[in-house]
């Protein structure tokens, strides 16, 4: 059951790769027992599909009883305002259209850099260093890149406005993160289309040293399987452009390299099948990954032509992954349907 509201305004948020995402501010409305005041509009294609403008009366639902989304315009507003974004909200640089998305044209956009640092912090599970604390460190000029995290001191952090005891806690967490697997390091750095599970698959495919990653070619990725030309090309290009960051961190951290046994997938009901999970789920993502792999399947980070199933809360979702999956004729299933496939 949906709720009815009014679109009051749209703000713009910069992602880790310069994507500028629209977020709708709406009159607070209760949907499924939860009061909603902000809803993502995903991208410009979604805005066009809905034919939505600021001032319109809208219907909001919670996809899969979790994620709020606007499903239609109920009534056009008397004073409508077109939804546009002409400059980056973080650095004021110009924006460009890239498929359905808007992107910042500034390669050194501070908003992108900040998001990448926070993504690394979350991926590496560095506790206590949240958005508020990181903002203070960035505003003080103490942190301008991921590597700066490893040169923080209690003195520099307290001068930036953090408390002494909290600074000590954060530094202890940073110290814990100094030993890292090769896959976790590379998979935490916002490399295009390359998350930690995909990086782990590449390491298990024989790329077990930094040198082998530095010399990796697109054709090497294609030989591993699970990659199409476009995906391999984007990963290769992004690795090259981020290699300086990787080497800087490798000189600071204790990166675990060396030979590992190539992964032998157990045979099971999911043998030969690949699964990508998106959106909310009852089970934790790591548990779902273990279920896929223990039953012989492949856990994928993204949607491409090699994928067999996209597991999603709402089969009618209009998210970018869902739209892409439908275009590629990939089957969309729910979490419960996935669990039935393995007898749960």
């Amino acid at each position: 059951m949906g709720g009815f509201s009014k679109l009051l305004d749209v703000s713009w948020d910069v992602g880790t790769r310069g994507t500028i995402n629209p977020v709708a501010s709406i009159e607070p409305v209760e949907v499924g027992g939860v009061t909603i005041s902000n809803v993502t509009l995903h991208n410009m294609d979604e805005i066009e599909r809905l034919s939505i403008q600021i001032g319109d009366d809208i219907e909001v639902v919670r996809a899969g009883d979790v994620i709020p989304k606007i499903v239609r315009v109920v009534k056009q507003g008397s004073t409508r305002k077109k939804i546009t974004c002409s400059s980056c909200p973080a650095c004021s640089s110009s924006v460009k259209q890239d498929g359905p998305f808007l992107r910042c044209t500034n390669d050194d956009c501070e908003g992108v850099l900040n998001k990448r640092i926070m993504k690394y912090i979350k991926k590496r599970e560095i506790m206590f260093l949240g958005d508020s604390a990181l903002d203070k460190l960035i505003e003080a000029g103490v942190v301008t890149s991921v590597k700066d995290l490893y040169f923080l001191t209690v003195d520099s952090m307290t001068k930036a406005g953090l408390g002494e005891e909290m600074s000590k806690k954060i530094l202890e967490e940073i110290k814990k993160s100094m030993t890292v697997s090769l896959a976790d390091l590379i998979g935490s750095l916002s490399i295009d289309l390359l998350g930690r599970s995909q990086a782990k698959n590449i390491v298990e495919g024989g790329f077990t040293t930094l040198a082998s990653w530095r010399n990796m070619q697109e054709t090497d990725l294609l030989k591993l399987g699970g990659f199409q030309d476009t995906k391999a090309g984007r990963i290769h290009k992004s690795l090259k452009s981020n290699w300086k960051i990787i080497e800087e961190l490798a000189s600071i951290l204790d990166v675990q390299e060396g030979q590992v046994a190539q992964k032998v997938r157990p045979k099971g009901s999911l043998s030969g099948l690949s699964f990508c999970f998106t959106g909310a789920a009852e089970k934790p993502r790591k548990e779902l990954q273990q279920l896929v792999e223990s039953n012989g399947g492949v856990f994928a980070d993204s949607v491409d032509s090699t994928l067999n199933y996209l597991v999603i809360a709402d089969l009618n979702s209009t998210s970018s992954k869902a739209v892409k999956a439908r275009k590629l004729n990939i089957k969309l299933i729910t979490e419960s349907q996935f669990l039935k496939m393995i007898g749960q």
Side-chain angles (χ1 to χ4, degrees):
M1 187 70 179
F4 299 97
S5 181
K6 181 184 289 291
L7 177 57
L8 302 176
D9 201 0
V10 172
S11 59
W12 301 85
D13 183 52
V14 186
T16 58
R17 298 187 185 95
T19 304
I20 300 175
N21 307 303
V23 180
S25 174
I26 65 174
E27 287 183 349
V29 59
E30 187 173 306
V31 181
V34 176
T35 300
I36 296 167
S37 57
N38 291 291
V39 187
T40 180
L41 280 169
H42 300 292
N43 53 51
M44 295 307 294
D45 275 7
E46 178 70 356
I47 290 170
E48 186 176 337
R49 187 189 71 80
L50 290 169
S51 298
I52 191 171
Q53 294 191 23
I54 295 168
D56 288 347
D57 291 334
I58 55 171
E59 182 179 6
V60 181
V61 301
R62 291 177 66 207
D65 294 327
V66 179
I67 305 169
K69 71 173 184 177
I70 297 171
V71 290
R72 67 187 177 103
V73 172
V74 177
K75 181 183 177 182
Q76 293 185 352
S78 57
T79 55
R80 305 180 83 205
K81 181 181 177 183
K82 190 175 180 180
I83 299 170
T84 60
C85 177
S86 58
S87 61
C88 174
C91 70
S92 300
S93 297
S94 60
V95 300
K96 65 179 180 180
Q97 189 83 32
D98 183 9
F101 300 102
L102 293 175
R103 293 188 188 278
C104 177
T105 57
N106 178 11
D107 291 337
D108 297 317
C109 174
E110 62 186 36
V112 175
L113 293 174
N114 295 359
K115 284 290 179 66
R116 288 183 174 182
I117 295 169
M118 181 48 68
K119 183 175 181 179
Y120 178 85
I121 290 168
K122 290 179 178 178
K123 291 285 186 182
R124 298 299 322 283
E125 298 179 355
I126 299 174
M127 303 297 290
F128 308 118
L129 185 49
D131 290 304
S132 177
L134 180 61
D135 285 345
K136 289 180 180 179
L137 296 174
I138 290 171
E139 287 171 8
V142 178
V143 173
T144 60
S145 67
V146 170
K147 70 171 183 175
D148 290 342
L149 297 175
Y150 296 97
F151 294 96
L152 289 171
T153 64
V154 171
D155 185 55
S156 66
M157 295 171 77
T158 53
K159 285 181 179 178
L162 275 66
E164 183 175 342
E165 289 305 311
M166 180 56 69
S167 297
K168 289 178 180 178
K169 285 184 178 181
I170 292 171
L171 288 175
E172 188 61 33
E173 289 295 315
I174 291 173
K175 184 178 179 181
K176 291 178 186 177
S177 77
M178 292 192 71
T179 298
V180 59
S181 71
L182 182 57
D184 276 354
L185 170 61
I186 295 176
S188 299
L189 288 174
S190 301
I191 306 297
D192 194 12
L193 297 181
L194 189 64
R196 288 183 297 176
S197 62
Q198 191 69 275
K200 183 181 177 185
N201 288 337
I202 294 173
V203 169
E204 289 170 342
F207 291 86
T208 60
T209 65
L210 280 162
S212 65
W213 278 79
R214 183 177 60 246
N215 297 321
M216 184 189 297
Q217 301 299 316
E218 290 178 47
T219 51
D220 295 322
L221 289 172
L222 293 171
K223 288 175 184 176
L224 288 178
F227 296 93
Q228 58 181 164
D229 288 346
T230 301
K231 185 174 182 179
R234 284 173 59 180
I235 290 174
H236 181 257
K237 180 180 178 181
S238 191
L239 273 171
K240 292 298 182 185
S241 63
N242 285 279
W243 194 255
K244 182 181 178 182
I245 299 169
I246 295 171
E247 286 197 322
E248 286 176 343
L249 284 170
S251 69
I252 299 167
L253 306 179
D254 177 17
V255 183
Q256 304 295 296
E257 297 180 278
Q259 295 299 317
V260 295
Q262 290 199 5
K263 193 170 195 174
V264 178
R265 299 191 186 279
K267 293 183 179 180
S269 59
L270 304 183
S271 292
L273 301 175
S274 57
F275 297 80
C276 177
F277 293 77
T278 186
E282 292 292 328
K283 292 182 180 293
R285 190 63 55 88
K286 285 186 178 180
E287 184 178 340
L288 291 169
Q289 179 176 352
Q290 290 170 354
L291 287 173
V292 169
E293 295 177 346
S294 64
N295 284 278
V298 175
F299 185 87
D301 287 310
S302 58
V303 175
D304 61 34
S305 61
T306 64
L307 187 69
N308 296 113
Y309 293 94
L310 177 64
V311 185
I312 192 165
D314 177 15
L315 297 178
N316 297 313
S317 172
T318 57
S319 69
S320 57
K321 282 187 177 179
V323 170
K324 186 175 182 180
R326 293 190 191 100
K327 287 181 179 178
L328 295 172
N329 293 318
I330 294 166
K331 188 172 179 61
L332 275 67
I333 61 173
T334 63
E335 182 182 356
S336 61
Q337 288 173 315
F338 163 73
L339 293 174
K340 285 180 182 178
M341 292 177 71
I342 56 176
Q344 290 196 13

